[in-house]
Amino acid sequence: MEHETHDHRTDHDHRTGHDHHTGRTGHDHHAGHGGGGAASWGTAARATLHCLTGCAIGEVLGMIIGTALGWGDAPTMVLAIALAFFFGYALTLRGVLAAGLDFASAFKVALAADTLSILVMEVVDNGVLLLVPGAMDAHLDDALFWGALAFAFLVAFLVTTPVNKWLIGRGKGHAVVHRYHR
């Protein structure tokens, strides 16, 4: 609800001619990076796609490994989730390290930027997979496996994008990475 109040105040400032930047700190101004006092949907979607890329790489790899080793659903899902976090963080680390940060600092940035986004994405997409009849029993060569996974990623993207918009609008989440972009 705080977000709606902020949008109303911003809309009021535009209608009355008040400068909505007056009294804002540099941090607040950076938090609004991407669209007029709040993160734009495009910025949030790009951050979510970044997160989804790492999650998808990790999850598919985890499912391939778990299936190839004949593991059950639970250990395969645990491996897939662990790899989703690993690859999600790794993608952010790659960019932040390239900007010149040392590993310890880059790792802290990656944790701050991606943890909540990856967590929401993993809860949602794995929850969807558990709800799709037969998805957990489908094999890699089964259309149900890939269809359910694509559907789960789509739902996770749609749920996680507003979370990232909210975080970025407050200077958190993926917003902490913006200062390291070239």
Side-chain angles (χ1 to χ4, degrees), residues 8-9 18 21-22 31 37 47 49-50 59 78 86 122-124 132 143 145-146:
H8 173 72
R9 188 173 56 242
H18 294 133
H21 290 288
T22 302
L49 283 173
H50 171 86
E59 284 208 27
V78 168
F86 173 80
E122 288 305 302
V123 167
V124 172
V132 173
F145 171 84
W146 295 104

Side-chain angles (χ1 to χ4, degrees), residues 3-64:
H3 182 67
E4 291 176 23
T5 303
H6 180 69
D7 285 345
H8 173 72
R9 188 173 56 242
T10 302
D11 289 343
H12 174 75
D13 291 339
H14 286 293
R15 283 193 307 268
T16 61
H18 294 133
D19 181 5
H20 67 278
H21 290 288
T22 302
R24 295 179 85 184
T25 66
H27 177 72
D28 291 337
H29 179 69
H30 181 70
H33 180 70
S40 72
W41 284 106
T43 299
R46 283 187 298 278
T48 306
L49 283 173
H50 171 86
C51 177
L52 180 63
T53 300
C55 289
I57 292 168
E59 284 208 27
V60 171
L61 184 59
M63 291 191 187
I64 289 170

Side-chain angles (χ1 to χ4, degrees), residues 57-136:
I57 292 168
E59 284 208 27
V60 171
L61 184 59
M63 291 191 187
I64 289 170
I65 292 169
T67 300
L69 296 175
W71 291 358
D73 292 345
T76 298
M77 191 174 277
V78 168
L79 176 63
I81 292 168
L83 290 174
F85 273 91
F86 173 80
F87 282 100
Y89 291 140
L91 288 178
T92 297
L93 276 171
R94 188 189 85 199
V96 177
L97 287 169
L101 252 62
D102 62 276
F103 184 81
S105 297
F107 188 70
K108 289 176 186 175
V109 168
L111 287 176
D114 295 332
T115 300
L116 186 58
S117 181
I118 295 171
L119 180 64
V120 170
M121 188 159 293
E122 288 305 302
V123 167
V124 172
D125 80 58
N126 284 286
V128 169
L129 286 175
L130 289 170
L131 293 175
V132 173
M136 294 306 294

